[in-house]
Amino acid sequence: MQMTGTVLSIGPRTLTVRNEESGEAIVVNFNNPRAFNVGDRVRVTYTGIMTMSEPPQITATNIQLVQPPVHRPPPGGGPGHRPPPFPLPPPPGGGPGHRPPPFPLPPPPAPPIFTPIPREIRAQVIRRENNFLIVRNVANNQILRADTRDARFFCVGRFVTIRFNSIFPGLPPRMDVIDVLPVC
């Protein structure tokens, strides 16, 4: 699978990339993230598996630079110096030869606001405690912990539908539960 986005930050073995399609920040696990810079536009080829953590994570098999980084000349120019292909903003307060634009410039776009999309699974209750259930996801046989105050109302062996926002790492992984419903 592929995703195109802009590099937001660089870690020791990760890049955080803003996905152009969804606007969502995604952590990309990769062996050589130092080959890229913040602001680079990249195309990430990944395994197709995305965690349900916040932010989601993927493992890249290849990352390509889509657009080369902007050339920034050394201060004062120098040999091989080329002026930028766009006009530079005037210094604060104007300056010699400064003219204001003939029309007001629009404000920069606001960054997208991330709203978690609730997810839902069908699971079988394996064990229950006072405030959580240990369940087996019917779709992939994964064992999960569902924190809920209503755990005492669900019997071991029964099937439930769990709506949640995300899954946090741990043994077993813990779900950020919205609600648990019995399957009738």
Side-chain angles (χ1 to χ4, degrees), residues 1-150:
M1 296 189 78
Q2 286 191 339
M3 168 190 80
T4 303
T6 305
V7 177
L8 299 176
S9 65
I10 301 169
R13 291 194 166 272
T14 62
L15 294 173
T16 302
V17 176
R18 169 114 23 232
N19 184 346
E20 287 180 358
E21 194 172 298
S22 68
E24 185 174 31
I26 297 175
V27 175
V28 179
N29 296 298
F30 189 63
N31 287 335
N32 190 14
R34 300 280 182 212
F36 301 97
N37 296 307
V38 171
D40 283 349
R41 188 167 176 250
V42 293
R43 180 172 297 116
V44 179
T45 304
Y46 62 101
T47 59
I49 298 171
M50 183 179 292
T51 67
M52 289 192 222
S53 59
E54 188 55 47
Q57 295 185 34
I58 59 175
T59 299
T61 56
N62 187 27
I63 301 179
Q64 297 173 328
L65 191 61
V66 174
Q67 158 188 325
V70 176
H71 172 71
R72 298 199 192 331
H81 170 71
R82 292 181 306 181
F86 50 87
L88 294 174
H98 170 69
R99 283 182 282 159
F103 52 87
L105 296 175
I113 298 172
F114 174 74
T115 304
I117 299 170
R119 296 174 174 95
E120 186 174 287
I121 65 166
R122 184 165 183 242
Q124 183 178 21
V125 177
I126 297 174
R127 190 178 82 201
R128 68 182 173 124
E129 296 292 331
N130 291 336
N131 60 353
F132 67 89
L133 298 171
I134 301 295
V135 297
R136 181 184 315 272
N137 185 346
V138 172
N140 63 9
N141 220 19
Q142 180 184 21
I143 305 294
L144 299 164
R145 174 181 165 158
D147 292 344
T148 176
R149 294 181 182 161
D150 300 329

